[in-house]
Amino acid sequence: MKQGRSLMDLVSELERQRNMRKDYIADTRNLEISTDEGISTLTMFLDNTTESFKINETTHQQISSRLQIPYKYYQKMRAEYPTLLDENINCWLNKRAEKRMIRILDGKVRAFLSDRYRRIDNLELLEAVLPIIKEMKGAEIISSEVTPTNMYIKVINKKLKAQVGLNDIVQAGLVISNSEVGLGSLKVEPLIYRLICKNGLIVKDHAQKRYHVGRQIENDDSAYEIFSDETLEADDKAFFMKVQDTVRCAVDETKFNLGVEKLIKTKQEDTGSDPVKTVELLADKYLLNQNERGGILRHFILGSDSSRYGLINAVTRASQDIEDYTRATELERIGGEILSIPLTKNENTMKNITNLVNLAM
């Protein structure tokens, strides 16, 4: 499992972000985009003043999607004809007038969202789940991180473990993740942690999600900054109580044993005699880049295990080599996707990974 920052560093960064963030609700007719030397700026016309902020890559993608401008064309205009891009965006912002939530961090627009978007604060989430984790006997946070798009808290329970093979012990755990910029729901997902190589496998089954959908903010102003109010705080209290209950139930012995049982059965399913072909098929299915393909293939061959179990471990081991924490976590989820593919009913082992991919389609 990829290591992020310490819990103390995570708290420090989340506190810093809370002090540096701003949120606005704005009528799109009061927004204007301008691009200079590849850097785009969003200007908001408030009642008595204007505010201007640089736009990050996530926001560019969200603007492109909302205005239905194909992203490849959006990027081409941005690189080769920025004034055309600005004209396109500003025209459609005025033509399709609506209220949008504009999220700001460190002087940059980090998200362009619906005015119904429910703000689930990473720091408040952490403060809600930490006491529950401390209640769990044997629980330990082994990895945590906050990226420009997501926060992650990965927990194992040292008291809940099982053996999948000789000297091959796994422990139960969970992953809590959240995005403040609209790139995913709040998730609580079961985790299987393999001690021998410190791989984390995020189990698809029994994952719980809570979506960022709230009430529409009623206000006739053209553009204004929004803050937490008593009503929102009351809603958040009830919401986080439900999240706490979800976390309490995430590390469940019965569910863990079912996952381990599945994992043991994958040892009996052969993926074939050609590891290169196996990884190529997997890469095509899950859109893996060349570095990811190479890393998985290397660990698959070094592991000397052509079973589905060996493939899962190659994928989750390769996640540790990836620089980006969010992408590394996605590979841990891909390992869970491979585990969740229905087992074959045949007594013989699988002929090759093609069957796995076909079943996943």
Side-chain angles (χ1 to χ4, degrees):
M1 179 179 293
K2 189 171 186 65
Q3 295 303 303
R5 62 184 81 203
S6 69
L7 183 59
M8 186 177 295
D9 286 344
L10 177 67
V11 172
S12 177
E13 174 59 16
L14 294 181
E15 288 177 341
R16 186 197 72 80
Q17 289 187 11
R18 173 183 276 180
N19 293 329
M20 297 300 295
R21 74 183 185 194
K22 290 184 177 182
D23 294 313
Y24 295 85
I25 295 294
D27 187 310
T28 54
R29 291 170 294 188
N30 290 88
L31 302 177
E32 184 175 281
I33 304 288
S34 60
T35 303
D36 183 32
E37 296 184 356
I39 299 175
S40 297
T41 300
L42 181 143
T43 298
M44 282 186 288
F45 297 95
L46 307 175
D47 289 336
N48 299 315
T49 186
T50 61
E51 293 273 8
S52 295
F53 306 97
K54 305 300 182 185
I55 298 174
N56 73 7
E57 291 303 317
T58 297
T59 304
H60 275 299
Q61 293 172 16
Q62 291 172 336
I63 292 172
S64 167
S65 174
R66 186 62 185 173
L67 300 182
Q68 298 179 340
I69 303 172
Y71 194 58
K72 283 188 177 180
Y73 180 52
Y74 185 103
Q75 291 289 72
K76 182 178 178 66
M77 288 190 289
R78 187 177 167 198
E80 300 177 17
Y81 200 165
T83 55
L84 178 61
L85 175 63
D86 295 343
E87 288 173 11
N88 268 269
I89 294 174
N90 293 328
C91 175
W92 289 116
L93 287 176
N94 278 276
K95 183 74 172 178
R96 298 178 178 175
E98 61 177 340
K99 294 287 184 70
R100 300 294 289 175
M101 181 181 293
I102 314 296
R103 308 209 74 182
I104 310 295
L105 180 65
D106 296 330
K108 294 182 180 179
V109 184
R110 59 172 174 157
F112 182 78
L113 303 166
S114 164
D115 63 342
R116 292 180 61 89
Y117 184 81
R118 183 189 189 116
R119 295 172 293 161
I120 300 175
D121 182 86
N122 284 334
L123 184 58
E124 290 178 6
L125 172 60
L126 180 63
E127 290 171 344
V129 301
L130 274 180
I132 309 306
I133 294 170
K134 289 179 181 178
E135 288 175 6
M136 300 178 185
K137 293 182 179 179
E140 178 185 342
I141 296 175
I142 58 170
S143 182
S144 61
E145 186 59 278
V146 58
T147 73
T149 58
N150 295 84
M151 180 185 74
Y152 301 93
I153 306 164
K154 298 180 181 180
V155 183
I156 59 169
N157 187 329
K158 294 182 177 181
K159 291 186 175 296
L160 192 52
K161 56 187 177 181
Q163 185 168 301
V164 296
L166 184 63
N167 298 321
D168 194 354
I169 307 297
V170 294
Q171 294 175 331
L174 71 148
V175 179
I176 303 165
S177 60
N178 183 51
S179 174
E180 291 187 338
V181 296
L183 297 185
S185 57
L186 189 163
K187 298 177 185 174
V188 180
E189 302 165 287
L191 174 76
I192 295 178
Y193 185 68
R194 190 180 183 216
L195 293 181
I196 195 170
C197 53
K198 298 182 179 178
N199 289 354
L201 171 69
I202 298 177
V203 183
K204 183 178 179 181
D205 300 335
H206 312 300
Q208 298 290 321
K209 299 180 181 180
R210 294 194 175 276
Y211 295 98
H212 293 254
V213 179
R215 295 174 297 177
Q216 193 167 34
I217 300 174
E218 299 294 339
N219 196 303
D220 294 330
D221 291 348
S222 56
Y224 58 96
E225 188 173 356
I226 51 175
F227 305 92
S228 294
D229 55 29
E230 290 183 2
T231 303
L232 183 61
E233 289 172 1
D235 285 348
D236 282 349
K237 184 176 180 180
F239 178 84
F240 283 122
M241 286 178 68
K242 292 177 182 177
V243 172
Q244 289 174 329
D245 290 339
T246 302
V247 172
R248 283 190 184 95
C249 300
V251 183
D252 177 85
E253 185 173 3
T254 301
K255 294 174 185 176
F256 172 63
N257 289 334
L258 287 172
V260 171
E261 195 175 300
K262 267 189 173 183
L263 206 53
I264 292 172
K265 288 180 179 178
T266 63
K267 287 171 164 282
Q268 307 305 316
E269 292 189 88
D270 191 46
T271 63
S273 59
D274 188 347
V276 175
K277 182 64 174 176
T278 296
V279 173
E280 282 180 359
L281 289 164
L282 187 75
D284 289 343
K285 166 64 182 172
Y286 294 107
L287 304 178
L288 306 175
N289 64 36
Q290 287 299 322
N291 287 337
E292 292 164 352
R293 295 177 189 218
I296 292 170
L297 179 60
R298 182 172 65 255
H299 291 299
F300 194 30
I301 292 172
L302 289 174
S304 301
D305 182 357
S306 64
S307 71
R308 195 205 295 209
Y309 182 71
L311 181 62
I312 290 170
N313 285 312
V315 171
T316 54
R317 174 60 187 85
S319 73
Q320 298 182 39
D321 304 328
I322 295 173
E323 184 175 350
D324 182 77
Y325 193 99
T326 294
R327 184 57 183 166
T329 302
E330 284 305 309
L331 258 69
E332 293 173 349
R333 288 195 177 111
I334 289 172
E337 291 275 351
I338 300 170
L339 175 64
S340 71
I341 296 168
L343 298 169
T344 55
K345 296 180 181 179
N346 301 330
E347 292 182 2
N348 297 326
T349 56
M350 303 185 75
K351 292 182 179 180
N352 55 52
I353 191 64
T354 305
N355 295 339
L356 288 176
V357 174
N358 289 338
L359 282 168
M361 294 293 189

